[in-house]
Amino acid sequence: MSITIPKVYEPGKIERKWYQFWHKQGYFTPKIDPERKPFVVIMPPPNVTGELHLGHALTDTLEDIMVRWHRMKGEPTLWLPGTDHAGIATQVVTEQKLAKQGLSKNGLGREEFLKTAWEWANKSREAINHQHQVIGASCDWTRERFTLHEKPSRAVRTAFVRLYNKGLVYRGERMINWCPRCLTALSDLEVTHKDIAGHLYYIRYPLDNQGFITVATTRPETFFGDTAVAVNPEDERYKDLIGKHVILPIINKEIPIIADDAVDVSFGTGALKITPAHDSTDFEVAERHNLPLVNIMNPDATMNENTGPYAGLERFVCREEVVAELKHEGLLEKIEPYAHSVGHCSRCQTMVEPKISWQWFVRTEPLAAEAIKAVEEGSITVIPERFNKIYFDWMENIKDWCISRQLWWGHRIPVWYCHDCGELTVAVDEPSHCLHCGSKQIVQDPDVLDTWFSSALWTHSTLGWPEDTDDLRYFYPTSVMETGYDILFFWVARMIMMGLEDTGEIPFHTVYLHGLLRDESGDKMSKLKGNVINPLQAIEEYGVDALRFALTTGSSPGNDINLGEGKLKSSRNFVNKLWNTSRFILQSIDAHGIADDSQLIASTIEDRWINSQLSRLIRDVNWLMEDFQFGEAAQQIYDFIWSEFCDWYIEIAKICFHSRSKPSPLPFLINTLEKSLRLLHPFMPFVTEELWQSLKEHSPDKVQMPDSIMIAPYPTAADTAIDPEAEQVMNCVIEIVRSIRNARAEHKVKMDKWIEAEIYNDELLPHLIWQKDIMEKLARVKPLAILSRQRRNPARGEALILVLKEAEVVLPWAGMVDVRAEHKRLTNESELTEARIRTLETRLKDEVFLSKAPPRVQEKDKEKLAMLQDKLRRLHLELSQLSSE
RNA sequence: GGGCGGUUAGCUCAGUGGUUAGAGCGCCUGUUUUACACACAGGAGGUCAGAGGUUCAAGUCCUCUACCGCCCACCA
């Protein structure tokens, strides 16, 4: 039977097949085994606002790598998928969809609107789940969750009620950020500050008797809401004016001049207009001085009746008109250009208004204290470490969290107001009557909760909390929370707070923060921004494995990732290389056959070498994975397969196949490929499964091999031994071969012809005397990879070139034979001069120093330490010898 | 204003005190070679931002400077 495999890997043909196979086999669903510690990852739930973008592909890939790796290590592994209802985002999308049909949110009414939103969300969820599968995410679909489904919703209500009962959730009239377009309150985090090239307006407020005081403001239109002018009590310029009054222009309202430390003497004129209802600093000043609040805006940021003739104007139009009027009245002293930072809605980029409003808040300070402790004490590890500081800074300065949103889409706040007694009923389940007076005239709070409130519970709500489920007991706390650093505050920090609060335990042991994928202009890719690249396109062109590999390699934790076409291509090429490597090995099995009792006994130097390199790789990869350095691990596997296995071992193997005296390299070819596939499987699951299955078909060990590479054990370092001697010899061989190739290139002559010509050169004849000897040695170390692509070329010819490079020829044996004896013999038998020998000796010393590079992975690595110490000793020794000479 | 990151080949980026600082892409030369041209072989290309310091040894650790980027922050 001959094996026919296409020359080029076609990913589209197998990806779907294997995902369905794994899914059907139930590999994604862990078995609860109380004897074993589980590995648990809860997927950051994507928003149901659209399809997945590259950022999700990155998250999926990194988590899948961890999860597949741990699963292969034999741990009961749960990766729980889910989606997030994404409050504002979904509502905005739904509104836009309705608008296209000429419908409006208010026209439809709450119930109908929600129906439309649900339709969209369900469709979106389906698409998202499908895409996770395309990417190869080995998550447990039997446990899939959606934030708005009954169980997570119940967890949300329970958490709210518990916090309320503990006094950690309260309702208050506070200064909040208001988006005039979304018509809802926003938390501080949902506000993005942008530098605006604005102006500083100097406005004269006439004093009640005579003269005026000039205030500087960026928002002249808010003066309608002024209830005082504040100056610093220490400011000599204004000391006499404190307690006096000014008359607001246009509306002729009298307000006092007060003294407050908050005023910066050096800024503007040193006099600050106080607009308590529209500025948070002013609000605080007003609270200290018991000033009244005057609201001058409608919710949509048009001016209200308190602005007299300007009522109904949009805020910026009003500004222009107010400025014109003040100028007209001679009250505008000057306008200076002024760059300042202004808050914008992170969803719709509308300038937010600070606004006094009744909202629900979480009292975060006590929660944060515990959350800080968890990281400080090391119960939770953050990778990379530098985010610790950022986390602490935020947590230590945390402010109360505004959690109510004036939206329809989301978890309705579980609070009912009594029409009769005015008291609140706060309950997990809808009450039939007021718990205080028994009245049935109760109405639920119309608002919903911030999406991040439900997200904050995600680690435990997905596992069944508040019920005491098997899942919760076994899988909680989870192992790793893997997500982008951009939602450290939004999500990670809040999960730690809420996890600790609700369960008394940390929600996860490790936080792994990846970087952000950016577009050409360096902007963050995000939904609703329109600069999102669909990963499906990349998958279509290059295959999932290539995309996953491109996302993983060449990046490090916490650093932003740039995904170029080049990287995708090279990853695709690597997949194809792997494909063809396997193709060659399978064809070799077919052509040469393999004995059923063939054994892995490394008798030749190249077998010992590849075995050693593989062992080294396995050891390093395991350590790197342990240390969350997936990019580096993938890179090392790539380098091994391409540069060592393919470029050298396989090329040597080809010679071996054609030699009668050498053992078949097949056992080592198969062993190396099979282990490489397993090492690579977490990174590129599809192609490795496909190749592994083919290999299994043809392997003498097929009976012992499991049904899928997914459940095969991950290679561990104990598999084979590292063999420094073999490595050293092969390094020398490689060096020789390189020098030969250089020589060839130098002469720019085709090998055969060049040798033919040189052979008859009289100068060469003396060297030919010991050529035979060299040939024997060459045979011993098998450096004949050089012949790989010159099969018709006699080995003799290649070896001749070695002769020309006598120094290089002698050196390689330093590590494997008695060096001194070798030298002596050469001294006697060849024409080497004394001077030449000295040179060789020096080079030899160097050679010993320059043996194989120590492994890049350190710590834990005693071997390396020993090597270093050894080197150090030699170095000192040599230095002392030099100085004594 | 505070904090964090970055600065390494033409480009995009790895690099965990230790050999001659690497990869991918691009560029140059050569190769149709029965695994792979999505390949093979060879090559050019680096004052590792700058200046000091610690060390037997610094791209890597310390200090300062410059530039780029990000995050946080109520100076109107």
Side-chain angles (χ1 to χ4, degrees), chain A residues 735-736 739 770 802-813 823 826 832 836 839-840 843-844 847:
Chain A
E735 209 173 292
I736 294 173
S739 71
W770 44 282
L802 291 179
V803 174
L804 298 171
K805 299 260 172 187
E806 73 266 22
E808 282 76 8
V809 168
V810 174
L811 284 167
W813 288 276
H823 260 207
L826 282 167
L832 292 176
R836 188 76 186 126
T839 315
L840 286 173
R843 289 289 309 267
L844 198 62
E847 201 61 35

Side-chain angles (χ1 to χ4, degrees), chain A residues 679-694:
Chain A
L679 281 174
L680 214 41
H681 179 256
F683 301 92
M684 12 178 89
F686 293 104
V687 70
T688 50
E689 179 74 282
E690 172 74 16
L691 294 174
W692 195 82
Q693 294 286 353
S694 308

Side-chain angles (χ1 to χ4, degrees), chain A residues 247-258:
Chain A
I247 312 286
L248 287 178
I250 305 175
I251 52 174
N252 293 321
K253 185 178 159 190
E254 195 180 78
I255 58 171
I257 297 171
I258 59 167

Side-chain angles (χ1 to χ4, degrees), chain A residues 764-785:
Chain A
L764 270 178
L765 287 173
H767 298 290
L768 290 174
I769 296 167
W770 44 282
Q771 177 205 342
K772 203 178 151 206
D773 188 42
I774 300 290
M775 285 291 283
E776 277 171 20
K777 297 216 179 324
L778 284 172
R780 209 192 302 164
V781 291
K782 297 160 193 86
L784 300 183

Side-chain angles (χ1 to χ4, degrees), chain A residues 430-502:
Chain A
E430 181 162 8
S432 58
H433 54 83
C434 172
L435 289 186
H436 301 276
C437 69
S439 162
K440 300 213 172 199
Q441 299 289 311
I442 54 170
V443 59
Q444 188 171 6
D445 193 311
D447 293 351
V448 299
L449 289 165
D450 182 2
T451 305
W452 295 105
F453 186 85
S454 63
S455 311
L457 316 178
W458 199 234
T459 44
H460 50 287
S461 70
T462 49
L463 293 172
W465 188 89
E467 280 172 56
D468 183 23
T469 61
D470 289 345
D471 274 9
L472 190 66
R473 273 197 302 270
Y474 186 63
F475 294 117
Y476 192 89
T478 67
S479 310
V480 180
M481 175 47 61
E482 192 283 334
T483 190
Y485 66 75
D486 55 328
I487 52 175
L488 177 63
F489 305 141
F490 276 111
W491 195 38
V492 179
R494 286 164 175 173
M495 268 191 293
I496 297 174
M497 290 195 283
M498 294 305 291
L500 284 165
E501 168 60 27
D502 286 343

Side-chain angles (χ1 to χ4, degrees), chain A residues 31-99:
Chain A
K31 290 190 178 65
I32 293 182
D33 177 358
E35 301 296 306
R36 316 181 80 153
K37 199 168 163 254
F39 181 78
V40 188
V41 174
I42 309 288
M43 180 189 285
N47 290 350
V48 287
T49 42
E51 297 189 326
L52 297 192
H53 54 71
L54 272 180
H56 293 116
L58 176 66
T59 302
D60 275 7
T61 302
L62 288 169
E63 288 171 22
D64 201 39
I65 287 168
M66 285 189 246
V67 159
R68 283 181 188 268
W69 174 54
H70 280 274
R71 197 183 285 118
M72 287 175 82
K73 290 207 302 180
E75 299 164 31
T77 301
L78 170 63
W79 185 15
L80 192 149
T83 35
D84 192 293
H85 65 280
I88 299 183
T90 305
Q91 177 144 342
V92 168
V93 170
T94 309
E95 280 171 17
Q96 283 166 352
K97 276 171 66 86
L98 288 173

